[in-house]
Amino acid sequence: MSDNESDDDVRTDGSGSGIVAPDDETPSWSERKQRTQGLSRLTYEYFERGRREDQDLRQQSDYVERDVLAFPAWPHEMMRNLALTSFFVGMILFVAAALPPEMPNPANSGVTPAIILPDWYLYWSFGLLKLGPLNPDLAILGGQKIMADRTYGVLANVVVVGFVAIVPFLNKGSARRPVEQPFWAAVGMSGVVFSLTIAALSIKNLIPMDSHLLFDLTFLVPIVSATITYAVLKTMREGYMFTLNRRYYRLRPPK
Amino acid sequence: MSLERKDDHDHKGWMKSRELSPLETIYLTTLIWLDKRLRVVDYLEILEDLYYKVNMQMPKSHTEQYNLDNKFWYWYPLYALGSFSTIAYIVAAISGALLGFYYAPAAAAADGSATVAYDSVLLIMGQLNLGYFLRSVHRWAAQIMVAAVFLHMLRVYFTGAYKEPRELNWLIGIILISLTLVFGYTGYLLPWSQLSYWAGQIGVEMSLSIPLIGEWVAQLMFGGFTLSQATLQRMYILHVFFLPFITTAVIALHIGIVWMQGIAEPH
Ligand code: HEM
């Protein structure tokens, strides 16, 4: 800007006051608060507190400028991922060329196929629909079931997805590694194994095994694998792996 | 208004006074042209501000802090699974858009005769150059996306990456995996083959057995209690209109949050 120009001149070249208010013109949170009442006032009050808290934390911390603990998505992660992209897309094209899909007969409501199946990734959900035997019946209702088996199956889906959704609110704390939280790692393993066994249950007519045995195994195998996971992780925490990780654990002792 | 001020805005003269390469000239001319009309510079300023906020405030990681940066985190390869889901999604979107040029969701009879929908898939597979490959790519991209999403969820679970402050992203993830599965399901019905038809049959029965709102859901999603043209058309619109928009937006939100929060440290 030329220097013979007065400051109150309206500038339109994007220097000076464009649409971004310069710092000294931006009202502070408390100035904004003055003009408001009710909920918006509360909001501003909170903001001011939040700011102050951030500021305090920043001053206390020995980090310079930075206060979140994580590694940056950009550029570390993104670069790595972009490099993997072409490889991955190549893999999709290769598999697609090698294993083209089939085309079954046209839809026919008169002919029920021997096995009705969704795509493999819905087997678990399909399996949950077959939990009829677990549907409790009430003696008061004369052995009648409270709800139809299929309602029960749909409900089972809701329960499973719901449980997965609330995991972050059940398992809190700063532990991250499975060794640090053997219990939740065991829960996870049982979940993974259950998703496989329940998928197997959904295609029970394809599996050469007594269907009652399969039904029992569907629930037993996950429990067994959870137990094994728990035991193994507990051992790792005290034994060989612990020595290996000693340097790490000196810095962050397991709780 | 002074003369000097006019000079200040004489962009052409300014460009002449610099010795610019043709590329730079074209770039600047375009930029100035756009800026005169759209005030691009103001927005660039905001973007720049944002860029520095995002990038300069990057968190210091544990690896940096504890000087562990030469230690290999052996689960690290699994951290690519989220990106793999995104990539598979993009591949499926592109191949799907191409398939959409030839597919027609019509005449959904169920008497064992080939319908328009079925025939259009056959046409893609038999007549179209590279059509069979295209369909194969779309299918595999979809399958691989589901697998990648599921494995991504497991990696997030077993590295405890869902904990504070990332609970919200976990919930968004649950929405994403559901959307992915519904995507797969609606696509499965489109060829209107035997498999499609009977999978649709299960879908209707599942909706009907939802307490209280079952019939309403069946009407809404499947266009009735038996499978018909209405079912196919709804699946089609879900698959090529609603789901793509919703899923893309939610993925953008999901990754945006990851960008802001950073990847959880494997402590
Ligand atoms: C369409 C599906 C999905 C896409 C495209 C996607 C994409 C991504 C990407 C690119 C990341 C960055 C880190 C990484 O790649 O591992 C990420 C992180 C994350 N995702 Fe997903 N995701 C999807 C589904 C899910 C699901 C099903 C969940 C869990 C229920 C989930 C929960 C999370 C969480 C909590 C993070 C943060 C992890 C961290 O900071 O280490 N996402 N997602």
Side-chain angles (χ1 to χ4, degrees), chain A:
Chain A
M1 276 281 120
S2 48
D3 41 14
N4 60 351
E5 205 182 319
S6 63
D7 252 0
D8 48 2
D9 210 356
V10 180
R11 284 169 295 183
T12 51
D13 61 351
S15 65
S17 47
I19 49 179
V20 184
D23 278 352
D24 50 349
E25 279 177 32
T26 316
S28 73
W29 292 114
S30 48
E31 275 163 359
R32 294 182 203 192
K33 191 171 68 181
Q34 239 97 77
R35 300 197 290 270
T36 58
Q37 45 187 326
L39 285 183
S40 50
R41 177 172 183 131
L42 268 184
T43 312
Y44 287 134
E45 274 173 22
Y46 165 70
F47 275 174
E48 195 162 294
R49 291 183 57 80
R51 280 289 160 95
R52 197 167 340 113
E53 195 180 337
D54 279 1
Q55 187 64 25
D56 291 350
L57 279 176
R58 232 170 251 147
Q59 270 159 5
Q60 282 163 21
S61 112
D62 50 345
Y63 302 150
V64 191
E65 259 190 26
R66 309 184 282 185
D67 49 353
V68 189
L69 284 176
F71 44 60
W74 175 266
H76 304 47
E77 282 292 296
M78 282 301 166
M79 278 306 151
R80 198 266 318 252
N81 291 335
L82 289 177
L84 287 171
T85 301
S86 51
F87 183 77
F88 186 67
V89 173
M91 185 198 81
I92 295 180
L93 297 184
F94 178 76
V95 175
L99 302 167
E102 293 174 10
M103 186 69 172
N105 292 328
N108 191 341
S109 57
V111 183
T112 314
I115 330 145
I116 303 175
L117 276 185
D119 247 350
W120 58 270
Y121 47 76
L122 286 175
Y123 285 4
W124 63 271
S125 165
F126 200 50
L128 287 174
L129 297 180
K130 301 192 175 173
L131 292 186
L134 287 186
N135 194 352
D137 42 11
L138 286 188
I140 313 170
L141 298 175
Q144 242 180 331
K145 298 194 168 181
I146 321 170
M147 49 186 139
D149 277 351
R150 47 181 208 177
T151 311
Y152 184 77
V154 173
L155 200 69
N157 273 280
V158 175
V159 169
V160 167
V161 178
F163 175 74
V164 178
I166 59 171
V167 162
F169 305 98
L170 298 178
N171 178 20
K172 295 172 180 275
S174 63
R176 283 263 160 76
R177 296 188 175 206
V179 243
E180 289 179 289
Q181 35 180 0
F183 174 74
W184 282 95
V187 170
M189 272 313 283
S190 72
V192 175
V193 174
F194 182 62
S195 75
L196 297 177
T197 52
I198 194 81
L201 181 68
S202 78
I203 47 172
K204 59 183 168 193
N205 21 12
L206 290 182
I207 292 187
M209 188 190 280
D210 176 48
S211 74
H212 293 289
L213 179 61
L214 184 61
F215 192 86
D216 294 342
L217 282 183
T218 302
F219 298 95
L220 276 180
V221 177
I223 295 174
V224 170
S225 50
T227 317
I228 294 175
T229 311
Y230 188 81
V232 168
L233 288 176
K234 274 286 195 193
T235 322
M236 280 169 73
R237 200 167 140 155
E238 274 132 33
Y240 170 69
M241 287 302 280
F242 184 79
T243 334
L244 268 190
N245 284 326
R246 189 175 310 129
R247 175 169 149 85
Y248 167 76
Y249 283 113
R250 249 208 314 270
L251 296 162
R252 284 186 89 261
K255 288 187 197 77

Side-chain angles (χ1 to χ4, degrees), chain B residues 79-83 85-86 145 149 152-153 155-156 161-162 166 169-170 173-174 176-177 180 251 254-255 258 262-264:
Chain B
Y79 283 50
L81 285 166
S83 302
S85 321
T86 319
M145 176 175 171
V149 170
H152 168 62
M153 183 169 100
R155 108 79 182 127
V156 170
Y162 51 79
R166 297 184 178 78
N169 232 6
W170 176 265
I174 298 288
L176 273 176
I177 200 173
T180 312
I251 289 180
H254 187 73
I255 295 179
V258 172
I263 311 289

Side-chain angles (χ1 to χ4, degrees), chain B residues 190-207:
Chain B
L190 292 185
W192 210 247
S193 65
Q194 268 294 67
L195 281 181
S196 315
Y197 183 85
W198 290 96
Q201 199 69 39
I202 302 169
V204 175
E205 275 167 30
M206 272 180 80
S207 337

Side-chain angles (χ1 to χ4, degrees), chain B residues 43 51 78 89 95 103-104 107 109 132 146 153-154 169 202:
Chain B
Y43 297 100
Y51 177 83
L78 300 181
Y89 179 65
S95 55
Y103 172 82
Y132 201 177
V146 178
M153 183 169 100
L154 294 187
N169 232 6
I202 302 169

Side-chain angles (χ1 to χ4, degrees), chain B residues 170-188:
Chain B
W170 176 265
L171 292 178
I172 293 176
I174 298 288
I175 296 175
L176 273 176
I177 200 173
S178 317
L179 284 173
T180 312
L181 294 179
V182 178
F183 234 129
Y185 179 76
T186 53
Y188 197 66

